[in-house]
Amino acid sequence: TASHLQQKVPIAVRQGLSHVEALLGQFELISCDVISVFIPDDVIENGDQAYLSDLYATLSNSDEFAKSVVCFENIPQNPRTNEFIEQFLGDRVNLRDTIIVPYKKARIMDHWIRKIGGSISVTLPDDAT
């Protein structure tokens, strides 16, 4: 929501979710290039500020959120491809270009593109040297 944009990170988007609900929400957020993690409610409620600050710093520096380069190699032409494009790319539809996304999103994209018979290559910037 717009009010979340005004808050200092990290922010709790929603509490009281089941594990499955949290995973689904995290999937939807990373599909839109929004970096998120889910932390059990009791950790947030019982963790002191120093611990939570350290936890956030550790999570923020995870390789999962490093920028990665995605190149589209083989993209089949079928309805499932259209669903893939809508889910992960939105307006970025030029599949001849490379895109830069968080590594977590690139991993998920790689998983789903294989399921529809396509392929991408994923490179972390550190791997490009």
Side-chain angles (χ1 to χ4, degrees):
T1 65
S3 64
H4 284 123
L5 298 176
Q6 306 299 320
Q7 296 179 19
K8 184 179 175 186
V9 295
I11 59 171
V13 175
R14 178 104 187 257
Q15 290 182 279
L17 298 174
S18 70
H19 184 78
V20 171
E21 291 168 326
L23 283 174
L24 181 58
Q26 193 176 42
F27 174 79
E28 291 296 331
L29 289 169
I30 199 62
S31 291
C32 301
D33 296 346
V34 175
I35 294 172
S36 66
V37 297
F38 62 90
I39 301 170
D41 291 344
D42 61 328
V43 172
I44 299 295
E45 293 164 2
N46 299 319
D48 66 28
Q49 189 58 46
Y51 169 77
L52 293 174
S53 293
D54 286 346
L55 177 62
Y56 175 66
T58 299
L59 293 171
S60 296
N61 292 317
S62 166
D63 285 346
E64 286 288 276
F65 306 124
K67 292 181 179 179
S68 63
V69 179
V70 173
C71 298
F72 299 93
E73 295 176 340
N74 176 27
I75 308 299
Q77 296 303 311
N78 61 50
R80 292 174 66 197
T81 298
N82 295 337
E83 292 171 8
F84 174 88
I85 289 170
E86 184 177 325
Q87 178 71 46
F88 294 108
L89 303 173
D91 294 338
R92 294 188 276 186
V93 185
N94 189 351
L95 299 178
R96 288 183 217 86
D97 293 339
T98 59
I99 61 170
I100 297 174
V101 297
Y103 180 64
K104 179 177 189 139
K105 180 175 181 174
R107 281 189 318 99
I108 294 169
M109 288 174 65
D110 185 53
H111 170 81
W112 287 104
I113 198 73
R114 290 174 191 273
K115 286 202 171 277
I116 62 173
S119 64
I120 60 174
S121 68
V122 177
T123 307
L124 286 169
D126 291 344
D127 294 342
T129 57

